[in-house]
Structure formats: C-alpha cells, structure tokens
Amino acid sequence: MPRVVFFDLDGTLADRQSALSDAVTSLCRSRALSADAEQWLRTALAERATADDFARLQKAFGLKASAADLWQEYVDLMAAAVTCRPEVLEGLARLRAAAWTIGVITNGASDIQRAKLAGTGLAPLVDGVAASGDLEIRKPDRRLFELGATRCGVSLADDGWMVGDNPAGDIGGGHQAGLRTIWLRGRPWPHGLAYAHHVVDDVTDAIAILLNETE
Ligand SMILES: [Mg+2]
C-alpha cells in the first residue's frame, strides 16, 4: 500500500503570521511607506497575498515603485522570514525514511509559496507541490488535490492523508478528495462539517500518528 500524505503549508508546516509581520515591517521601512500604507498592507495581506494587492497598494498611495518591484521584494522578504521548526523538518525526514510520499497542497500564489518552501528548507523533503495560483483553483476544490497527487506521481485513490489547519479547505477538501484527515486545531469548526479523523495541537503530533500507521 503506497503511503501518501499531503500537508497544507501556511499555519501547518510554516508559521506565516510571524513571518508576515516581519516582512511587512521590513518592506515599509525599505520603501519608506506611511503608517497608513502599512496599516492598509497588513489588512490586505492578513489571509493571503497576491501581486494584485501590491498593484492596489501602489495605486491607492501613489507610490513611485512599480507594483512588480514591490511584490518581488515582499516575496523575497517572506521567503527569508518564514521558518519551519527543526522538529517538523526532522519529522518529515523520518516520514520519507519510512517510504512516505509527501506533497504540499496550498492556497497561495505560485511564486511566493515556492519561495517559502525553499526558504524554510522544506523543498527537498517534498515530492510535489500544488499551489492554488498554479491553476487558479483553491482548496477545497478537488482539482487542486488531484494536481497535488499528480505532481507527487501518485493517485488520490492511493488511500492518502491530508494534514492542515483550515477546516473547510484542508479537512473538508481532503474528505472530498477521498483522503483521511488530521486537523491542527485552532480555528472555529464550521457547523455541519464532517469531523477530521484525528485532531492534534501540533503538526509533529500529526507526523507521529502517520509514523505509527506504518509500524
Ligand atoms: Mg493553513
């Protein structure tokens, strides 16, 4: 039986929130942005960031720098600021050593999500990546899970797992894709959504459950 697990990236393998705060602070300092522009940016990027946010920022505040330049600087800053804890990297390495295939299925722009995977050291531990920006479809859309499976050289019929912090996107989407699920608790659970197979406080607990499966 092939062993396949897909992980969400932001808030699951990597801590986006603290990286976001640092990256926005650095960008605003480097571009000498006003306090208003900084506040606007923090609100706009709270859930996710796209190049289009920087086009709107540039327009709203009449900035001289091009939107493309601002976006690129933000991508570089995020890639440098985002981290993955050593015990998570170690856990993924143990999964690989136990013959697991590891994919990342993430809602986010293709360039920034891949820059984050490289910056955190996750990239070499992952067999395939599907970012919503690749196809302009987002979790919980089953097609993004299919893309993730294809990029890992596996099939969704291979009885895999999905691990993530977003109830609807990761757990609801995982169920629709025929995957077993592990939820990292934190967000409110939507009424009526089917429960995850396991609920954990930390992604390392999820990895421990998966390693147990293979013993
Ligand atoms: Mg997430």
Side-chain angles (χ1 to χ4, degrees), residues 8-12 165-166 170 187:
D8 166 54
L9 179 59
D10 293 321
T12 296
D165 68 321
N166 187 293
D170 296 324
R187 298 176 189 231

Side-chain angles (χ1 to χ4, degrees), residues 94-157:
R94 288 181 61 199
L95 281 173
R96 287 182 71 92
W100 282 78
T101 296
I102 301 175
V104 167
I105 299 178
T106 173
N107 281 350
S110 307
D111 48 0
I112 194 160
Q113 297 309 77
R114 286 186 173 74
K116 282 193 261 182
L117 285 164
T120 50
L122 283 163
L125 295 167
V126 166
D127 295 288
V129 180
S132 64
D134 297 350
L135 290 185
E136 298 306 330
I137 44 176
R138 304 178 57 75
K139 290 180 287 187
D141 192 317
R142 182 188 165 96
R143 289 172 295 171
L144 196 63
F145 290 85
E146 281 167 356
L147 180 67
T150 303
R151 295 231 163 119
C152 288
V154 299
S155 156
L156 285 179

